Amino acid sequence: HPEVCHAIDTKGAFRRYTTDVIATTAFGISVNSMKDRDNEFYIKGIETTKFATGPLMMVKMMLFRACPRLAKSVGLSFFPPATTEFFKKIVEETIRAREEQGIVRPDMIHLLMQARDKEGPSVHKMTLDDIVSQAFIFFFAGFETSATLMCFAAHELAVNQDIQDRLREEVQQHFAEGNGEISYESLSKMSYMDMVISETLRKYPSAIITDRLCAKRYELPPSRPGCKNVIVEPNHILLFPIYSLHHNPKYFPNPDKFDPERFSEENKDNILPYTYLPFGHGPRKCIGNRFVLMETKILIAHLLQKFTLKITERTVEPIVYTKKEFALQPVGGFWIGLEKRET
């Protein structure tokens, strides 16, 4: 409502959007966090993200990493028992209602119910806790990180009006071809949209670091001439500094510049493999990467159709990151202005 709101911290609005998307696709329930602003699903999600930050969480993560059996034996958990019980109750009631009423809905709960009902000597028999865990990790991984990606994308579009104008032209073309609607197919054809989101993920990766557990002995070549080879043994943990790779001028010249052209058809093949890792790589690549890209592109498309994104006196550029969070977050929030367009 630009007539009453000339500037907005996009994190609040986008987090409500991702809450509703995850609620319906992962848990099979419909909520409207924009209108029902204090609904329990949204409140529990906020509690989860607050609980997952701070020094206590750091200590827990170190204990889980160093002594996983001890952490499990003492019943250590990342989240408050009330939060765990809330999500378990939702899944349990949803499954019961679907079984009693024969409801079939194309979402994650249905897929997990199908997996639960599979039989065979090599099939793991899924329990309710298994199903709750899968649905919850989908929520936890996609709720905050997706909203943050959208915030950074909106920030860069507000700062770079030329990029915003070019992207809007592409969006309007596809809206016109779809008679005012955006389909999955048209989203897939938006090449400049893909370039903009890819560059956002390059400059602001959702995870600044990721890790992998070595399963087989491997010999790494020397890092520079004259150095020794490095032997990686099974059960060794390797850390991959995603943010550092994305900001290394050796791989991405002028890394602090927001430049979607890095991912154009002509340039993207020049990117050295495994230097761009917004979702990880290989068989353990983020399972929700296409999902996140789709919901982000839908949001940006509708925003550009209805608004011109602008900087305000509260917009900080270049962004200054807070030191109190695990993920990249700006000090003071993601403030931009929204000017309503005639459509």
Side-chain angles (χ1 to χ4, degrees):
H1 298 283
E3 65 277 6
V4 294
C5 180
H6 301 293
I8 180 175
D9 183 353
T10 54
K11 188 62 174 289
F14 294 169
R15 200 152 52 174
R16 291 179 183 279
Y17 165 62
T18 56
T19 295
D20 294 358
V21 171
I22 292 291
T24 188
T25 53
F27 290 87
I29 63 173
S30 295
V31 295
N32 189 330
S33 299
M34 284 293 187
K35 292 183 178 178
D36 183 8
R37 300 187 68 79
D38 295 321
N39 71 81
E40 194 172 10
F41 198 94
Y42 176 74
I43 296 300
K44 291 296 182 185
I46 296 297
E47 288 177 0
T48 301
T49 57
K50 286 181 179 177
F51 198 78
T53 58
L56 178 60
M57 178 56 75
M58 181 67 77
V59 172
K60 284 187 175 184
M61 289 186 71
M62 292 172 66
L63 187 57
F64 267 112
R65 178 61 61 87
C67 310
R69 291 181 181 176
L70 174 63
K72 190 173 183 179
S73 66
V74 299
L76 196 64
S77 172
F78 280 124
F79 308 105
T83 302
T84 305
E85 285 303 312
F86 170 76
F87 285 105
K88 187 172 182 177
K89 182 181 177 183
I90 283 181
V91 173
E92 192 172 22
E93 290 177 352
T94 300
I95 291 175
R96 186 187 306 118
R98 293 188 185 192
E99 289 176 335
E100 291 175 354
Q101 301 171 38
I103 298 171
V104 175
R105 196 172 183 272
D107 55 23
M108 193 172 182
I109 290 292
H110 180 66
L111 293 175
L112 291 169
M113 289 173 65
Q114 287 181 311
R116 178 200 60 179
D117 296 337
K118 285 185 177 179
E119 296 183 355
S122 61
V123 176
H124 167 72
K125 191 64 179 176
M126 292 186 72
T127 65
L128 175 63
D129 282 345
D130 289 330
I131 294 176
V132 173
S133 298
Q134 297 302 319
F136 179 76
I137 197 63
F138 203 74
F139 166 79
F140 185 66
F143 163 67
E144 184 76 4
T145 55
S146 301
T148 303
L149 166 61
M150 297 166 194
C151 291
F152 279 123
H155 172 87
E156 288 293 347
L157 290 172
V159 170
N160 299 282
Q161 287 293 318
D162 55 333
I163 295 175
Q164 181 182 159
D165 292 341
R166 180 176 168 185
L167 181 55
R168 182 178 290 105
E169 286 182 18
E170 181 180 70
V171 166
Q172 288 179 322
Q173 175 189 338
H174 286 277
F175 265 111
E177 292 174 357
N179 295 317
E181 298 291 332
I182 289 288
S183 67
Y184 180 81
E185 288 72 25
S186 62
L187 274 179
S188 303
K189 294 175 183 176
M190 292 187 190
S191 58
Y192 196 64
M193 173 75 81
D194 193 69
M195 291 162 58
V196 169
I197 301 303
S198 295
E199 174 66 350
T200 304
L201 286 165
R202 197 274 312 167
K203 191 174 179 182
Y204 310 103
S206 300
I208 60 173
I209 196 167
T210 191
D211 58 4
R212 291 293 183 269
L213 183 68
C214 178
K216 185 178 179 182
R217 191 174 190 269
Y218 190 80
E219 185 174 343
L220 290 168
S223 58
R224 57 175 64 92
C227 293
K228 295 181 179 180
N229 291 5
V230 177
I231 305 298
V232 185
E233 300 287 355
N235 294 322
H236 279 184
I237 295 174
L238 282 77
L239 298 178
F240 296 86
I242 297 174
Y243 182 89
S244 298
L245 287 169
H246 287 192
H247 286 78
N248 190 329
K250 177 180 175 182
Y251 308 127
F252 299 97
N254 196 5
D256 293 330
K257 180 183 179 183
F258 186 79
D259 183 11
E261 291 301 326
R262 301 179 202 270
F263 296 91
S264 67
E265 285 297 322
E266 301 78 29
N267 295 330
K268 65 181 180 181
D269 290 337
N270 296 328
I271 297 173
L272 192 65
Y274 306 106
T275 59
Y276 179 66
L277 301 167
F279 297 106
H281 234 302
R284 296 196 179 275
K285 183 177 182 178
C286 174
I287 194 174
N289 72 91
R290 287 181 293 179
F291 183 90
V292 170
L293 292 174
M294 180 174 63
E295 66 171 330
T296 300
K297 291 175 181 179
I298 289 172
L299 177 103
I300 296 298
H302 282 281
L303 265 184
L304 293 183
Q305 176 75 349
K306 294 182 171 65
F307 298 98
T308 298
L309 312 185
K310 294 188 172 184
I311 61 172
T312 72
E313 65 276 2
R314 301 187 68 175
T315 305
V316 178
E317 175 60 26
I319 286 176
V320 179
Y321 300 118
T322 178
K323 298 177 182 178
K324 299 178 181 180
E325 303 281 348
F326 281 122
L328 299 178
Q329 299 285 339
V331 174
F334 293 93
W335 289 92
I336 63 170
L338 297 173
E339 184 179 284
K340 198 163 187 177
R341 292 171 47 82
E342 293 298 328
T343 57

